[in-house]
Amino acid sequence: MPDVQVLVNDFLNKLKKRKIEGSLATARQTAELLRSVISQQRVPYTNQARALIDAVRAVGEQLIAANPVELAVGNIVRRVLHIIREEDLSLTTAAMAGLGLSAASDDEDDADQDNHPVLSAAAVAAAARSTLRPPSLQTLLEDVPDSAAVPHTSSSGGDSEGKSKSADKSSRTRKLKHDVIEAVNELIQDIATCHEQIAEQAVEHIHQNEVILTLGSSRTVLEFLCAAKEKQRSFRVFVAEGAPRYQGHLLAKELVTRGLQTTLITDSAVFAMISRVNMVIVGAHAVMANGGVIAPVGLNMVALAAKRHAVPFVVLAGSHKLCPLYPHNPEVLLNELRSPSELLDFGEFSDCMDFGSGTASPLLHVINPTFDYVPPKLVSLFITDTGGHNPSYMYRLIADYYSADDFVVQRRSPTGR
Amino acid sequence: MDARRPSRAITDPMIRRVGFFTPTGNSQLPRTHSNPAGSGSSPHADSPAGNSLSPVMIPPPRHLSDRTPPLPVPETGLRQDSDRVPVGSYNASESLMGSSPSGGIALVGGEFSEESDGWYGQNEVRKHSPNLLDATLRKAPDYLSGTSAPLRLEKLKKSAQVPEKSGKADVEAQNEMQSSLKPLKTKTSKAERRALQEAQRAAKALAKEGDKSAAVSGGAAPKKPLKLPSQKKDGPPVLSSIAASDKKGGDRLPDKERKKDVPPPRMQFDDKNRVEKAKRRAVFHQTEARNRVELFRHLPQYEHGTQLPDLESRFFQLDLVHPAVYKAGLQYLAKDITGGNARCIAMLQSFKEAIKDYSTPPEKTLVRDLTAKISSYVSFFIECRPLSISMGNAIRFVKSRITKLPLTLSELEAKAALCSDIERFINEKILLAEKVIVGHAVTKIRDGDVLLTYGSSSVVEMILLHAHEMGKQFRVVVVDSRPKLEGQALLRRLVSNGLSCTYCHINAVSYIMNEVTRVFLGAASVLSNGTVHSRVGTASVAMVAHAFHVPVLICCEAYKFHERVQLDSICSNELGDPYAITEVPGRVDVNYLNNWAKKENLQLLNLMYDSTPSDYISMIVTDYGMNQY
């Protein structure tokens, strides 16, 4: 337990000092931290899920408070909470089913009780997930085979499960934690591979001789474009440099090394060039529940220009960027102001800094925001690791990934405990 | 045939200038009105445009007392137009107008395929004077040879003067000539018309009284009917001198008339032949930039800074250009002088110096030789940096002043007249216009406003400073963009004058726009479809302001208006130094592209201008008033 606290504090420090660049790294590290929190957490015999949830929530609350703007932290905390709930639910349903099915044949075979539980639990969890979730296109189509499969698997593993339950409580305790950790591992895996999964869809969206505009730098965008390039599509890319961070330079350099025809433009030239662009592909910082995007600064301008010229505005976002919250005044509340030194040279303007009007308020203010909010009406398409989605579909994805109880992590946790 | 040429040339200006407003009868009206205005009792109330406008519409006329009859003052567009009427009508001298290249050459438009034998037959004519030529042409058997001969003659006459014609005897060269010579007159009048139309529209928007608006519409209405009488006047000499077969030519006239209204095509730099030609007559050699962007092949892009040392070293061995012109050109090249107004003033000043030092070479006329001189200066300026539209308008003004010089003036008088004309243009069309715009725009600033401006516009800066001096309480948001970061200089000046400023990059404009109440933007030019041609990024700022329902005010002097139309920012633009993009001064950590600029796949695009669609603009503030879009 103490070593977890050290880890948490370390991570909190990093978050507070904004040492972690990018939502991907933040998400991965958060998930890893929560995994170790779960594995260290002692669980009582009863109400184990509650204990895990409370523990995760306590840590998550601190993490979110450390950097409220980095929404990926909150997303991952909620995802982990959701995982715990689901695993718990699936275990309970499996147990119920096991009880009902194999009440008669109680102690027949003790030998294979160690092998079966994992397998059957996973299968049951999948089944439970599909039945518990509100109907989506997949579940609608898979409805028949799934419902057929659920009783089958549960009945096949039913006898052993029922036995494990009745025989040994501690094995079930371990099983929940074990399942949760497995699922969190899967989540970490998903986060790590979301680039590839998004990039796989590149050829479906980029055609020959396309002209693509992007602003700033995003690893997802880079992988996406390179994936299309690897599939022998030839197209050109306009990269707006994304002042004052100039990540566009970095992206342009990367693209050039991969052999793509790249044109670097200033941010101000976006409007001039957008009429000759077929598609705008950008990365995001976070995707809100209404389909709005928290994106690198400047993208609202690009999105407006794209809208004006009817150019599709495509946002690439891994599912860890999906935030279940609805934004309120996101330009200000979900933003972060960076150092003015990126805009003005203090040495050059030192004389101006001193000019005061006598009321102690300085005459010169420098604004250097990090993010922009792009409203959903300006977004044409989201490409996530689960496929392409309309902005209006975001709330459905959110229902898949999060449970409604966890939307508010911060406020409820002090009273809830 | 020959009669047709001069008559056309004379009526040329008449048709367009008179036709727009009123025929001689009506055109007297504004003139008489403006003369009392000139006498200075109550200029605002009496001046024609002022009639319908609010009191601040027309800049108070300056240099009123020293205005001499033969040199009308270009006080307003209307005034200028009315003054030209007598010039055109009294001046029957064929020697002046007949030798005007635009008249002779424009006539032949599209007939090159027909010319055949007359081509060589007229060769000896070239040595004769225009009058002699006219005589020979009168005897010329057929109309076709007649058309080609003056053309050729003109070409030869001008060959030494206008660079475009250096020794090219083929049809293509003539085509080129045609296109390059046509603009001079049409553009002047059209630009002025545009300004006037603007004023009239402003009048309509502002004047609440019914009778005034009626007066304005009365001014605009005669446009169509008037074209007819002037053309009829034009018709008889043409038909009488030309044989019956030439009725076809007569019929074609209106067509050509219309054609002339079309602005000439600009130099397209993807046209290899023309680029080659341009290179041969260039004063200095420029190296083409590498890795050019495919979309912008039609624009010139050179390596920046390579030619400057060479040019500087040649400062004292001038053959072609006047030192003042040379200096101004170098300043353009080195980006010491930037901004539409500053460049235009520098150019006009250098022209003035050049005209002061000018002396007509023996056996040449001042009008033609000086025009050619100015043209060569202009092409030098273009080599240094592509002209802005405001400069184009100013050049047209100077050239039209030169061609309009009465022949009776001695060289000294003519030079003095030109110099004072140029001086007046600077004072009235630029400096005073700025002041008038400031006066208008300041009324739109209220206490508690947050004003956003982009880049560094001299007019907007004056507006802000003036409003501050008036004691208005407001904040300014200076939005800036790479690579020029012109806003920093503006910011420094504003802050040192005690204005409360906020500074941000253009990317943050959506963030800051929430609190902004007005957007003031400068413009390089306002085109006739309402598009505003301005520093790159202006369109983005206007777009975001539009999206946030913040009014956008464009401040632009009327001399920057142009009749060209444009839909995008690509067809006509200017490319800056591409390598300026890769370098981020003051940020040592941003060096990703330090050695990458030469990579084959990487292209750098440094656009200078963009076009703001008119629907993003709430209002245009000009020296003729404010005009709501």
Side-chain angles (χ1 to χ4, degrees):
Chain A
M1 205 55 198
D3 50 335
V4 175
Q5 202 51 47
V6 169
L7 281 177
V8 169
N9 285 339
D10 190 36
F11 191 60
L12 281 177
N13 256 332
K14 276 191 196 164
L15 278 178
K16 276 181 187 158
K17 291 175 179 168
R18 310 292 194 256
K19 290 269 188 192
I20 305 166
E21 280 277 314
S23 48
L24 178 91
T26 320
R28 209 189 58 237
Q29 293 185 32
T30 311
E32 282 165 0
L33 180 76
L34 291 179
R35 185 178 59 186
S36 53
V37 168
I38 291 168
S39 67
Q40 300 279 332
Q41 180 68 32
R42 294 163 144 271
V43 276
Y45 287 124
T46 55
N47 215 358
Q48 311 149 356
R50 188 78 237 164
L52 281 183
I53 286 172
D54 283 347
V56 169
R57 210 172 230 181
V59 175
E61 193 188 337
Q62 297 177 47
L63 295 182
I64 292 170
N67 188 353
V69 175
E70 185 52 271
L71 295 166
V73 176
N75 297 345
I76 295 303
V77 171
R78 290 184 187 99
R79 288 283 287 274
V80 172
L81 289 175
H82 182 60
I83 286 169
I84 298 171
R85 283 177 204 280
E86 276 208 332
E87 293 297 338
D88 183 43
L89 199 62
S90 66
L91 273 184
T92 326
T93 46
M96 300 279 275
L99 276 176
L101 277 167
S102 55
S105 58
D106 222 1
D107 24 297
E108 256 181 42
D109 198 357
D110 283 349
D112 53 358
Q113 73 174 16
D114 291 325
N115 314 342
H116 282 287
V118 180
L119 235 176
S120 61
V124 171
R129 217 173 277 154
S130 66
T131 48
L132 285 173
R133 270 183 200 166
S136 68
L137 187 62
Q138 277 100 345
T139 52
L140 280 180
L141 290 176
E142 293 164 1
D143 205 21
V144 183
D146 252 4
S147 54
V150 172
H152 176 69
T153 43
S154 57
S155 66
S156 74
D159 48 351
S160 54
E161 235 176 81
K163 220 172 298 164
S164 74
K165 184 104 169 298
S166 56
D168 193 358
K169 284 269 183 192
S170 73
S171 81
R172 202 195 137 198
T173 308
R174 260 189 290 127
K175 203 152 77 70
L176 176 66
K177 249 171 82 167
H178 186 261
D179 289 354
V180 167
I181 288 170
E182 278 295 301
V184 172
N185 276 337
E186 248 173 61
L187 174 65
I188 294 171
Q189 195 65 31
D190 276 355
I191 293 170
T193 58
C194 77
H195 288 319
E196 288 100 76
Q197 296 194 355
I198 293 175
E200 268 174 24
Q201 306 168 50
V203 275
E204 293 174 27
H205 296 281
I206 298 177
H207 63 71
Q208 192 78 10
N209 285 336
E210 189 134 35
V211 181
I212 291 165
L213 184 136
T214 183
L215 182 140
S217 179
S218 153
R219 192 168 146 225
T220 324
V221 173
L222 176 68
E223 303 267 327
F224 192 79
L225 296 177
C226 291
K229 170 75 183 169
E230 276 160 22
K231 295 274 163 58
Q232 309 303 323
R233 294 282 152 83
S234 84
F235 53 96
R236 17 180 68 254
V237 185
F238 285 109
V239 182
E241 57 185 4
R245 295 188 67 200
Y246 305 107
Q247 296 283 305
H249 291 193
L250 210 56
L251 181 68
K253 184 175 170 178
E254 285 291 326
L255 290 175
V256 166
T257 45
R258 316 261 180 121
L260 272 163
Q261 277 290 328
T262 310
T263 306
L264 186 65
I265 62 174
T266 55
D267 304 319
S268 46
V270 164
F271 188 88
M273 296 312 298
I274 198 95
S275 58
R276 298 298 180 271
V277 166
N278 301 127
M279 183 158 38
V280 179
I281 299 180
V282 294
H285 173 68
V287 178
M288 307 308 287
N290 65 346
V293 184
I294 309 291
V297 68
L299 274 183
N300 188 38
M301 195 174 75
V302 176
L304 281 169
K307 188 78 180 173
R308 159 96 191 176
H309 290 92
V311 177
F313 187 84
V314 177
V315 177
L316 308 183
S319 55
H320 60 277
K321 298 189 179 183
L322 203 57
C323 179
L325 302 179
Y326 285 84
H328 167 67
N329 200 4
E331 296 94 340
V332 180
L333 296 182
L334 290 177
N335 216 331
E336 200 167 35
L337 295 179
R338 294 167 70 91
S339 161
S341 67
E342 290 182 337
L343 266 63
L344 281 185
D345 193 355
F346 282 145
E348 247 176 70
F349 270 81
S350 53
D351 49 338
C352 292
M353 303 284 177
D354 296 338
F355 288 121
S357 50
T359 57
S361 64
L363 277 177
L364 179 57
H365 296 266
V366 178
I367 305 275
N368 185 8
T370 317
F371 302 119
D372 240 356
Y373 173 69
V374 181
K377 62 176 183 187
L378 298 180
V379 180
S380 315
L381 188 69
F382 285 101
I383 299 181
T384 68
D385 36 7
T386 59
H389 302 294
N390 222 36
S392 58
Y393 189 74
M394 281 301 123
Y395 84 100
R396 277 295 297 116
L397 280 185
I398 282 162
D400 282 355
Y401 286 125
Y402 305 98
S403 45
D405 301 339
D406 303 324
F407 284 177
V408 185
V409 175
Q410 267 167 296
R411 202 198 49 192
R412 195 189 278 178
S413 45
T415 54
R417 266 202 300 169
Chain B
M1 174 53 234
D2 48 305
R4 176 185 167 188
R5 193 162 51 93
S7 71
R8 265 283 306 234
I10 291 168
T11 49
D12 238 350
M14 273 185 69
I15 290 169
R16 263 172 272 108
R17 287 181 189 124
V18 180
F20 184 68
F21 297 105
T22 41
T24 44
N26 270 345
S27 75
Q28 292 298 341
L29 200 73
R31 203 151 63 99
T32 48
H33 269 267
S34 60
N35 275 342
S39 61
S41 59
S42 57
H44 300 315
D46 286 356
S47 62
N51 250 342
S52 48
L53 304 181
S54 70
V56 272
M57 283 309 143
I58 291 274
R62 289 161 50 123
H63 310 285
L64 297 171
S65 49
D66 59 354
R67 191 189 298 140
T68 49
L71 280 175
V73 185
E75 194 174 284
T76 66
L78 187 53
R79 163 79 213 221
Q80 205 172 349
D81 282 0
S82 61
D83 273 330
R84 269 184 203 144
V85 178
V87 176
S89 54
Y90 96 88
N91 187 0
S93 66
E94 302 192 351
S95 56
L96 171 65
M97 298 311 283
S99 64
S100 145
S102 60
I105 287 170
L107 180 71
V108 231
E111 290 173 353
F112 293 112
S113 55
E114 296 173 28
E115 63 198 18
S116 50
D117 40 351
W119 185 245
Y120 299 103
Q122 299 296 333
N123 263 357
E124 76 273 10
V125 176
R126 68 177 89 143
K127 280 135 199 157
H128 301 306
S129 72
N131 288 336
L132 251 176
L133 167 77
D134 288 349
T136 41
L137 284 181
R138 211 160 278 142
K139 287 179 233 145
D142 77 24
Y143 155 67
L144 295 176
S145 66
T147 51
S148 64
L151 168 74
R152 191 154 172 80
L153 175 83
E154 290 306 327
K155 192 185 67 199
L156 289 163
K157 271 186 205 157
K158 300 289 281 183
S159 64
Q161 303 157 356
V162 185
E164 269 109 322
K165 294 172 206 154
S166 55
K168 284 285 156 186
D170 54 345
V171 174
E172 191 193 340
Q174 289 156 10
N175 261 328
E176 189 182 324
M177 260 193 296
Q178 242 184 325
S179 57
S180 62
L181 288 174
K182 251 191 267 180
L184 304 184
K185 286 188 179 172
T186 55
K187 276 193 181 169
T188 329
S189 63
K190 273 207 84 174
E192 285 159 6
R193 252 192 277 166
R194 188 69 48 199
L196 253 163
Q197 218 168 18
E198 204 55 49
Q200 285 170 348
R201 250 187 281 157
K204 265 183 213 163
L206 290 175
K208 300 280 178 268
E209 297 90 333
D211 56 335
K212 285 176 180 175
S213 65
V216 172
S217 62
K223 182 179 178 182
K224 276 218 172 141
L226 285 177
K227 257 205 161 140
L228 289 177
S230 52
Q231 220 150 68
K232 235 183 267 164
K233 223 191 282 169
D234 179 35
V238 172
L239 289 178
S240 62
S241 61
I242 303 173
S245 66
D246 293 334
K247 256 185 187 153
K248 194 177 73 182
D251 290 339
R252 252 198 310 258
L253 264 178
D255 265 352
K256 282 172 195 160
E257 211 53 49
R258 236 175 287 135
K259 246 182 243 164
K260 277 184 124 185
D261 268 1
V262 178
R266 292 177 294 272
M267 171 90 168
Q268 301 293 313
F269 281 77
D270 48 354
D271 184 345
K272 288 224 173 58
N273 289 333
R274 298 200 50 186
V275 171
E276 277 305 308
K277 257 178 255 163
K279 259 189 194 161
R280 248 177 281 139
R281 60 172 187 262
V283 176
F284 53 84
H285 182 66
Q286 288 179 312
T287 39
E288 291 258 330
R290 299 172 34 162
N291 285 350
R292 298 177 52 187
V293 182
E294 197 66 39
L295 266 175
F296 291 92
R297 294 269 169 201
H298 60 285
L299 297 176
Q301 180 153 40
Y302 301 115
E303 301 269 358
H304 282 245
T306 52
Q307 65 282 65
L308 196 58
D310 174 47
L311 272 180
E312 270 168 353
S313 65
R314 281 165 56 189
F315 188 78
F316 294 105
Q317 28 169 323
L318 301 169
D319 39 359
L320 197 60
V321 285
H322 188 273
V325 175
Y326 202 78
K327 187 178 152 209
L330 285 189
Q331 280 171 325
Y332 294 160
L333 193 60
K335 301 275 156 62
D336 286 344
I337 297 182
T338 52
N341 285 342
R343 279 169 74 197
C344 195
I345 290 174
M347 181 189 71
L348 287 173
Q349 299 280 18
S350 72
F351 280 167
K352 210 175 78 181
E353 292 299 313
I355 288 172
K356 265 184 197 158
D357 295 345
Y358 172 81
S359 63
T360 316
E363 297 177 11
K364 283 190 176 170
T365 56
L366 177 132
V367 171
R368 283 171 47 210
D369 191 50
L370 192 55
T371 312
K373 266 268 183 331
I374 296 288
S375 297
S376 74
Y377 295 160
V378 168
S379 59
F380 171 72
F381 280 142
I382 293 175
E383 282 171 48
C384 294
R385 188 179 161 187
L387 295 184
S388 68
I389 287 171
S390 58
M391 290 164 79
N393 284 343
I395 290 165
R396 246 173 278 137
F397 165 79
V398 171
K399 284 192 174 174
S400 76
R401 283 289 119 188
I402 294 174
T403 51
K404 297 249 153 31
L405 280 177
L407 286 180
T408 50
L409 288 186
S410 73
E411 187 183 311
L412 264 182
E413 283 170 326
K415 279 162 60 179
L418 282 178
C419 286
S420 73
D421 273 345
I422 291 176
E423 192 62 36
R424 202 166 289 141
F425 186 90
I426 295 175
N427 281 331
E428 287 180 9
K429 294 282 179 195
I430 306 179
L431 301 179
L432 196 61
E434 278 185 334
K435 291 203 180 77
V436 176
I437 288 176
V438 169
H440 290 327
V442 157
T443 62
K444 295 289 170 196
I445 300 180
R446 291 176 302 198
D447 280 350
D449 265 349
V450 180
L451 310 176
L452 184 142
T453 183
Y454 175 69
S456 171
S457 158
S458 56
V459 186
V460 173
E461 184 182 347
M462 285 168 74
I463 291 168
L464 298 175
L465 290 177
H466 186 66
H468 184 66
E469 276 166 25
M470 287 170 70
K472 299 202 175 186
Q473 298 294 316
F474 60 93
R475 284 200 299 127
V476 181
V477 178
V478 179
V479 180
D480 207 352
S481 82
R482 288 241 310 137
K484 298 191 83 170
L485 295 177
E486 295 162 306
Q488 291 193 359
L490 175 71
L491 179 73
R492 178 181 289 276
R493 290 194 293 269
L494 291 181
V495 169
S496 57
N497 274 297
L499 279 85
S500 173
C501 291
T502 305
Y503 178 82
C504 66
H505 266 299
I506 189 168
N507 276 340
V509 74
S510 330
Y511 176 88
I512 202 78
M513 198 56 86
N514 278 318
E515 50 189 274
V516 172
T517 56
R518 294 227 189 313
V519 176
F520 279 90
L521 297 171
S525 174
V526 176
L527 308 181
S528 64
N529 59 344
T531 303
V532 172
H533 196 62
S534 190
R535 172 68 66 225
V536 64
T538 305
S540 302
V541 174
M543 174 185 66
V544 174
H546 182 76
F548 282 77
H549 307 292
V550 179
V552 179
L553 287 86
I554 300 278
C555 305
C556 182
E557 298 87 343
Y559 86 102
K560 290 177 176 174
F561 282 46
H562 199 277
E563 82 269 10
R564 183 194 293 167
V565 289
Q566 206 174 313
L567 289 173
D568 56 22
S569 319
I570 293 169
C571 292
S572 152
N573 212 319
E574 187 184 333
L575 300 178
D577 179 11
Y579 302 118
I581 291 190
T582 57
E583 296 150 10
V584 185
R587 291 284 298 280
V588 279
D589 52 321
V590 183
N591 53 2
Y592 312 118
L593 288 169
N594 268 0
N595 299 312
W596 285 75
K598 308 277 183 204
K599 280 270 175 181
E600 196 176 325
N601 282 333
L602 180 65
Q603 293 148 352
L604 303 166
L605 178 63
N606 184 3
L607 274 186
M608 299 290 275
Y609 296 101
D610 67 6
S611 310
T612 310
S614 57
D615 46 347
Y616 290 153
I617 296 159
S618 320
M619 180 178 270
I620 287 204
V621 187
T622 73
D623 33 342
Y624 290 95
M626 291 184 281
N627 183 27
Q628 205 153 5
Y629 258 46

